[in-house]
Amino acid sequence: MSGPQESGARVNRSQESRSQESRSQESTSFAALRGQLQEAAAAFAGGPDALEGILLGLVDDVDRAVREPLEIFPVCHHSPASATAMARRLREKQPKVVYLELCEDMAPLLTELRNCRLPVAVQAFAGDVDGFPQEWAPLSVVAPITEASAEYQAIAYALDTPGVELVLVDRSADHVFQWDDRGEKVAEDGEAAPEEPEAGLHGEAVGVEIGDLRPRFSELEEHLLRHGKVRHWSEWWHQYVEVPLGDSAADHDTYRQVMFLIGSLFRRLAPGDGARVRVDEDRERYMWTRMREHMAATGTEPADALYVCGAFHAASRVAEFGVDGSDTFTISPRTATTWQYGLIPSSNAAIEAQFGLAAGSVSIAATEWAKSLKRTRVRPFRLVGQTGGKQRPAKKAAPAQRAQVSSGPAADSAAGDRLSGFLRRPPVIDALDEAELLGWSVDIVRAARRNGYLASTADAIAVFETSILLAGMRDRAKPTPYDFQDAAVTCIEKDVVPGRRDVRRLVEIMMGGDRIGQVGYEALPPLARDVHDRLAPLGLKLQQRGVQRALLDMASRPELQACSDVLWMLRRLMPHGAARPIMGERRLGERSIQESWDVALGTHQRALIELGYEGVSIEQVLEQRLRRDAYGPRATTASVLAAVEDATLYLGSRRLADELGTHALKVLAGERSVDGAPEVLRRVRALLAYYRTSEPVLPAWIESFVKTGYAHYCTLLPTAFRDEDATVGQVAAMLGFLFSMESLALSLGCDRAQLELAVAQSHPEDPSKTALLWAAQVQLGTLSRAELRARCDELLDNPLVVPSYPRYLSGFVHALEPVPGLADVVVEAVSNAFGRLPDSVLLPWLPLLITTLRSGAADLAPLLIREAGRIFPGRLEALDAWVPPWRAPADPSGGVRADAGRRGAALLPAHPATCDAVADLLGCAEGWARPGVPVGAARSGVELLAAHPATCDAVAELLGCDGEWATQAGDTQSAGAVLTSRHPATSVALEALLTGG
């Protein structure tokens, strides 16, 4: 097997010998032209040198291509002149076989072009690569096709003419990347950055086109543009090649020889880019090898075939060139990569952006194509059933009755030298151009007025005259669309752009605009057709570009629930804007009964088609993507939990959710950082709330996750407090997980001592983390609220700490995530700072406080504001007499507690039925105490305790009190007295528990 490097080296060794052999076999058709070029070289260079070799080499290349038995038809991509010449030649020659320079594995898709509106692009796509670097994935190759292109004329002729075979002979999509030894997926002709949304219809695909005719020698292109007085290569090509070749006087032989000459010129003046030259030559070897294989297998005669290729490849000098070329090139096998094929919508802007053409050049080419058909009266080929244009009745040609036209080397030799006459012919002024230019001037003024410009009839006249003036200054016979564009900008736009669009863009629209193709329903992949079928109840024109509003009332039309499911999945899978909810939401445990959507599937048709490469249904694609995200090398615990949530939310798959949740345990156990702790906390809380309300029991995986996460975060907590890279928000999320999941974790067998030890081992240095640690100690009971308030007062009393006080406050605010009960303490800390600090100290760090709270704790600020609203007075006039609760003096008599104790005594008489029910349940039959009888005289409590001593012992044991029960049979103490005397610690604990002290 020989690769591009080996084959290129092999041919280079024999280039010189073959050149000499071919020079001896040259025909005499171009003898006069050779003589003229020799004289010109001698005059310019002062004698034979490299210039003479180049000029004579150009003629040799043209002569060699003309004498080839297999007729070569050189073309330029998206060239109206090439398309017109192709249509004319196909009707004259009517070949039986058409060899086309296009990726050979794209052939099955060409029949689907009749179901599309051009321009579209044939695409080869590979999501999973095997044999290429993984960082290249996904691989994509596109070949755009427009109606004003020679390859479309050849395709339409071959597919709609009985007995004609279309054979694609260029390298496969797999070989495109096999030969890409630069390690970059770039377009062969350069890729410009998209300036408009339509310019990105091809995505990042590699563009493959035929007819690569642009100088690779930058100095040559600069020279041509400067002397041609044009700004871009597309403008030079239109003026000096497109217009002369599109003239009706340019016959087939002249067209071929001129295109051969241009291809040879750019080929011989190309710089020494070895990698690109090797790829070009191997493409030519590949194509000639495939054509000889086909002719040998089918018995096709060269005279009955036509080879359509770019003019750059037509003037080839490789050893394999021609039907009699050598068969030394070996085609390498394809890799194991699985390629999928489809049609995607394209646009003029996408073609221009991907292949480095001037903005508007493809639109201008489409306009020139229509003018050329009208002027030359050539009847183009068009696929039967093709949408987007005027339909004509199909006329099936009979290949057997082919016209007797010139074909083959003998006829071309008889044609003689057409280059000399073409190069000397002066440009011909067309009388129709003046009327056309006048129409353009009127139309652009009308368009400018619609877009806010103060244009008038005088501006139309000025544009007309300026166009002619610019053409004369640039030595042109007639104004081109580019001259007219410059004149319109000068005369209408001037120095201000008041309209919605600039004049340059208005001219492009007037010349044909950015035509955007569309893939028909029948040409869509199964997934895309399934989406269209499932969304049919909405009654929308899903193929139409633009945004459409869909209203879903699932309450009155339950069948729309299926449409809602599809739209939510499309929102998850496709780019933003393809399906955008306006009203309604879908969250765990929540479903809207009414929804409103903006749907733009027609605009994002390429993305929908590429979804079809991944599966046959959107459910399958979504499941594959969730698995890929969860099991990918960059998967985190948060991303896996997000996949679990999406599997539950969009697919309703408990099986997939359990599988991904189990995988989340493994990912969590392997993480050694706390970067994703906030996201993990948020998603675990949401999943727990969902399962607790919708499932009879929690899934086993989430119980294991809580248990594992409790131990995991306890282990990482001391390190996170000391780690400078761990933010206070991440540490607060860890504590939030530990405190909020503590009850569930303890019920599953976790030990609270692990958390207490982790907090005790934490020694942060950052002020915000220090405040967070204090809050955690308050939650665990190792630090009282009074001690926390005292520490805050000490911070304010220390002038060295006051500049860092905002960071302490930031830590306290973040502490509201794990310990929301500290909201009143945080309000107190902020209020004390504003009340005690002087303005000279407060004002400098006030901006720091605001920015710290806004950037780090914006989601916790509402909790702080609600607590402040509860504490502070609601009216301004009450603020002067208001005393903060933390400064209110304590009641030394304990009246508050006594009042609280009397609430129960007042509640029982108000609701005697409740007390009677409890008495009946406990077996008390004494009834209510009589009025006037002291409460202490009642012996019911003593009798109850004496009758059930085990109860008091159990309470004493629960509270950790050691003592024995009284054995005096005649003890007349009350029940409270018995508890106080026999179990004093029990009495104190119960009192504290009941009164909240």
Side-chain angles (χ1 to χ4, degrees), residues 630-692:
Y631 291 93
R634 298 184 180 180
T636 61
T637 306
S639 63
V640 178
L641 291 178
V644 174
E645 185 175 343
D646 289 343
T648 306
L649 196 62
Y650 300 117
L651 298 177
S653 175
R654 178 65 181 273
R655 170 192 55 82
L656 180 61
D658 291 347
E659 177 189 341
L660 298 179
T662 304
H663 180 64
L665 290 172
K666 302 178 182 178
V667 179
L668 177 65
E671 287 185 346
R672 293 296 177 264
S673 66
V674 295
D675 296 342
E679 187 72 9
V680 171
L681 174 63
R682 185 181 68 84
R683 294 195 179 277
V684 168
R685 281 179 175 174
L687 290 169
L688 269 175
Y690 170 74
Y691 286 127
R692 281 171 173 167

Side-chain angles (χ1 to χ4, degrees), residues 250-267:
D251 57 5
H252 172 64
D253 298 313
T254 303
Y255 168 84
R256 290 184 66 205
Q257 295 179 19
V258 170
M259 294 297 286
F260 286 144
L261 179 67
I262 296 174
S264 176
L265 173 65
F266 294 161
R267 189 183 188 97

